[in-house]
Amino acid sequence: MRQAGRSLPEYRALRKEGSILDTLKKPDVSAEITLQPIRRYGVDAAILYSDIVVPVHAVGFGVDIKPGVGPVTDNPFRSAEDLKRLRELDPFHDTPYVIETIRICVDQLDIPLIGFAGGPFTIASYLIEGGPSRSYQKTKRLMFENPELWNQLMDRLTAICTSSLLSQIEAGVSAIQLFDSWVGTLSPSQYIRFVFPWVQRMFEEVSKTGVPKIHFGVATGELLQLMSEVGADVVGVDWRVPLDLARSRVGDGKALQGNLDPAILASPWSAIEEEVLRILHLNNGHPGHIFNLGHGVTPDVNPEVLERIVQLVHQYRVDR
Ligand code: CP3
């Protein structure tokens, strides 16, 4: 979880100024950025350096990423007219730089590469709100005021994200992750009505390829069961839900990912160590746990702390 591998000095040196969406269009640079944390940390998988708004940017919706803010648009989604700005994605034509970055990475990696897309709700929320939001008021208003238009918007975003994921798999990624980061703002009944059918469709299409599917969100404690049932193989858990409780909600035969609070990474090492060990202990040797942060690394995090966490997790053994 490094949407913010941005804490690495070698990242900042390569990335320089300007829009991240321009950096992503240079496959040699993007591949190098993908590999940087692998060299430094010795983690067990790599995640592609890209962004969840790349596909909607590529079809010409008109969205940028503002440093220190996130995805923004000057022309938010308001009416059926705006659907025209969400045509189908032809990944090999519209985002050839993503395909090329994956090929370079796969060639150089001896660990799995994870591809990803944004969940339709999360992307929709950026397009409707015009940027990050706390209340998602405009998004919810559209859902309830004009469910027909909401369905059409979700159809379009699902098609775009599905093509992106399928093309990344074709290019060589070993697993995919769906980042529906902000879906935790919904109640279970809102999730069932306004999100579930589309994410289910997306996972069904991806399942045909046989690659594992990871499903991520923040503050999703009350949605974990649904986020499992919708078709994921691995369900992300932030720090708000104890891992054993999360496992009971997600059900048998599935894996969990996460659980470390990224906001404690500036605390004393003894406290971080205790938290890491507590999580590993709660997992109790269960084979289905991808140790990870519950959300992204902030730029101020000391890379040495992350390095120590990786070592600690790798050295941990369960006494049985
Ligand atoms: O934080 C979230 O979960 C929100 C949604 C989201 C965004 N991008 C919007 C965004 C998610 C899940 C992503 C995914 C992402 N972006 C990944 C894959 C997953 C991961 O975390 O590893 C990656 C590698 C990126 C790349 C990325 N996008 C970086 C490194 C940055 C930061 C700074 C930069 O410009 O170099 C971004 C910008 C970005 N995208 C932000 C958000 C909320 C942060 C904007 C900021 O604070 O500067």
Side-chain angles (χ1 to χ4, degrees), residues 1-6 11 15 18 20 47-53 65-71 116 122 126 179 181-182 216 218 295-296:
M1 211 64 59
R2 60 180 183 90
Q3 168 217 274
R6 47 180 165 165
Y11 170 66
R15 162 88 173 81
I20 185 176
I47 188 145
L48 179 69
Y49 179 68
S50 183
D51 196 86
I52 57 167
V53 296
I65 297 179
K66 202 166 165 185
V69 178
F116 67 89
T122 295
Y126 283 121
F179 284 98
S181 306
W182 308 135
F216 172 87
V218 186
H295 201 189

Side-chain angles (χ1 to χ4, degrees), residues 68-85:
V69 178
V72 289
T73 175
D74 291 337
N75 268 314
F77 185 94
R78 288 283 174 267
S79 69
E81 195 56 24
D82 297 313
L83 289 169
K84 290 184 189 146
R85 292 193 280 150

